[in-house]
Amino acid sequence: MSRTTTYAVIHLDAIRHNVQQVRLAAPHSKIMAVIKANAYGHGLLRVAQELKGFVDGFAVARVQEGVRLRKAGFQQKILVLEGFTERDELQNLADYDLDVSLHSRHQLDILQQQIKSKKIGVWIKIDTGMNRLGFKAHEVHDIYEQLMLCDAVKKPLNFMTHFANADDKNDSKTIQQIALFKDLTANYEGEKSIANSAGILAWQDSQTDWVRAGIMLYGISPFPDSTGVALNLKPLMSLHSRLIAVRDISAGETVGYSGTWTSPNATKLGVVAIGYGDGYPRYARIGTPVLVNGERVPLVGRVSMDMITVDLGLHSHAKAGDNVTLWGENLPIEEIALYANTIPYTLVCGITPRVEIVESESVI
Ligand SMILES: *Cc1c(COP(=O)(O)O)cnc(C)c1O
């Protein structure tokens, strides 16, 4: 393994396993791999390369992410989920053959002024309840008719929507969103896409022509009450560092900024070379589990920029240089997210450039 202090291992085999799980869960749909935000922190081109033989398309958030994929030679369908905002982005969409999500009249105006352009693939985004982007039910037909008249738009037109609460398996809002979308699009010929990872795993009716798999490809559960491992997914990323010091402290001493933790007894304190400057969550609570030489110990005191402190216990034999895992095998990222009052999406996206990325073929 690497000699570097603080590193994330990307377990490349895991992504092939996970994409098989998407296939098994949604056998009749084409798969769009969602690789926005640097593939959720795992590396855009690295992940695209691993996936390219196994998926039917890619989805990114921004035009520039799509351009980067095309420049690297990827030829699959690429959908830009946020679409475009400025007229000058259309040139890139056309030149690099990127599909766009169309969610506003502002975008329609820009397209309508485009006369002699290469044609762009368009997905009409319908707002079925998320209330973030998209057209309301009563607008859909009008938008469709206007787009059909646009020279710059490929036909047929496609349709998509996005879930608000699909990670809650008991929330009937998802059933309503699916029903509204199907009702609004039943009479149009283009392709349809509803499901994100939670849809793929929990809402079979949302599996239409295309599914958009994000978090599950990275081996992480979309549900707050389960882990990727429990869903037969394999985590793609594990995060590691080392102990840089082991110190004796007495009962009653406080540790770290603001002295938020007072040691109840004499113990050994481990100092680990990772902090929020690496993307370890600043708000991880006292008690958040950390693995030192494979054993669970609790985080104590505040997370600082470059270090965290853990209570090794009075009888620990751990020493400077020993291995530390922040999430990965035997320490699900979903558990860390709960301790840090966040979701695992933010943890993987938040890894900073200081953390060295080490690729591994072996699955954890
Ligand atoms: C991010 C995103 C997805 C993927 O969601 P996951 O929960 O990661 O599977 C799908 N569709 C849209 C529109 C998105 O923005």
Side-chain angles (χ1 to χ4, degrees):
M1 195 47 75
S2 164
R3 299 270 75 204
T4 183
T5 315
T6 303
Y7 58 99
V9 180
I10 305 296
H11 303 268
L12 293 174
D13 285 4
I15 198 153
R16 279 165 247 154
H17 170 86
N18 296 336
V19 80
Q20 280 315 114
Q21 298 306 115
V22 179
R23 261 305 157 223
L24 285 172
H28 307 298
S29 303
K30 286 184 270 188
I31 300 175
M32 206 177 267
V34 183
I35 53 175
K36 60 195 181 189
N38 197 30
Y40 292 42
H42 297 74
L44 178 74
L45 298 183
R46 171 186 298 119
V47 169
Q49 187 61 34
E50 285 308 308
L51 282 171
K52 78 174 181 198
F54 303 94
V55 299
D56 307 284
F58 295 114
V60 291
R62 310 269 159 85
V63 176
Q64 281 313 319
E65 294 173 314
V67 171
R68 219 178 132 210
L69 285 172
R70 285 282 184 250
K71 284 187 170 161
F74 292 98
Q75 291 173 356
Q76 286 83 354
K77 177 185 284 297
I78 299 175
L79 169 60
V80 179
L81 295 167
E82 279 181 10
F84 59 94
T85 317
E86 309 291 334
R87 183 188 313 270
D88 59 15
E89 291 177 282
L90 285 185
Q91 196 64 44
N92 272 337
L93 293 173
D95 288 350
Y96 291 99
D97 189 22
L98 306 173
D99 282 15
V100 272
S101 148
L102 189 112
H103 52 75
S104 71
R105 288 188 188 265
H106 171 75
Q107 294 175 314
L108 178 63
D109 288 345
I110 293 176
L111 274 178
Q112 283 173 330
Q113 289 159 28
Q114 209 61 16
I115 312 182
K116 276 192 252 129
S117 126
K118 273 192 248 168
K119 293 190 191 300
I120 297 168
V122 167
W123 295 69
I124 298 176
K125 176 122 178 201
I126 305 179
D127 177 11
T128 53
M130 174 73 134
N131 282 318
R132 195 177 58 180
L133 293 179
F135 296 102
K136 288 287 183 196
H138 68 90
E139 300 176 286
V140 172
H141 188 67
D142 174 50
I143 295 294
Y144 176 86
E145 300 268 282
Q146 296 203 50
L147 281 169
M148 287 301 281
L149 299 173
C150 273
D151 264 355
V153 172
K154 279 186 199 163
K155 317 291 176 339
L157 297 161
N158 309 296
F159 297 87
M160 64 182 291
T161 192
H162 194 41
F163 286 139
N165 299 5
D167 58 333
D168 180 349
K169 295 174 206 164
N170 301 315
D171 192 329
S172 61
K173 179 171 185 126
T174 301
I175 296 170
Q176 291 161 18
Q177 286 194 264
I178 297 170
L180 179 59
F181 181 83
K182 289 194 170 173
D183 185 41
L184 288 169
T185 60
N187 295 325
Y188 300 113
E189 58 174 322
E191 294 194 299
K192 325 258 159 78
S193 178
I194 309 178
N196 55 2
S197 296
I200 292 164
L201 291 168
W203 305 92
Q204 218 175 348
D205 283 354
S206 70
Q207 298 170 4
T208 52
D209 299 311
W210 287 85
V211 293
R212 305 189 304 273
I215 199 77
M216 71 180 289
L217 287 177
Y218 307 98
I220 297 172
S221 171
F223 309 112
D225 58 353
S226 72
T227 62
V229 174
L231 295 167
N232 195 19
L233 301 170
K234 292 184 172 164
L236 199 55
M237 182 195 288
S238 56
L239 181 64
H240 307 272
S241 185
R242 291 179 197 283
L243 283 179
I244 54 169
V246 174
R247 318 197 42 229
D248 293 315
I249 58 165
S250 326
E253 288 194 90
T254 63
V255 171
Y257 287 121
S258 307
T260 57
W261 184 75
T262 306
S263 183
N265 4 67
T267 190
K268 283 187 175 155
L269 190 79
V271 183
V272 184
I274 195 160
Y276 62 81
D278 303 287
Y280 191 80
R282 164 73 173 69
Y283 294 106
R285 287 206 304 272
I286 289 170
T288 302
V290 173
L291 298 182
V292 175
N293 297 325
E295 301 280 332
R296 277 183 183 232
V297 295
L299 177 115
V300 294
R302 281 215 175 132
V303 171
S304 41
M305 189 183 290
D306 311 305
M307 284 171 257
I308 59 171
T309 40
V310 296
D311 183 359
L312 294 168
L314 189 58
H315 305 295
S316 172
H317 297 294
K319 56 187 187 313
D322 283 359
N323 290 319
V324 176
T325 296
L326 291 310
W327 59 73
E329 192 178 11
N330 297 324
L331 190 55
I333 193 170
E334 292 89 349
E335 191 177 340
I336 305 304
L338 289 177
Y339 275 97
N341 195 24
T342 186
I343 53 174
Y345 296 69
T346 70
L347 299 182
V348 282
C349 282
I351 295 298
T352 68
R354 177 164 83 179
V355 176
E356 188 176 334
I357 302 291
V358 180
E359 290 182 3
S360 159
E361 281 293 323
S362 65
V363 168
I364 55 173

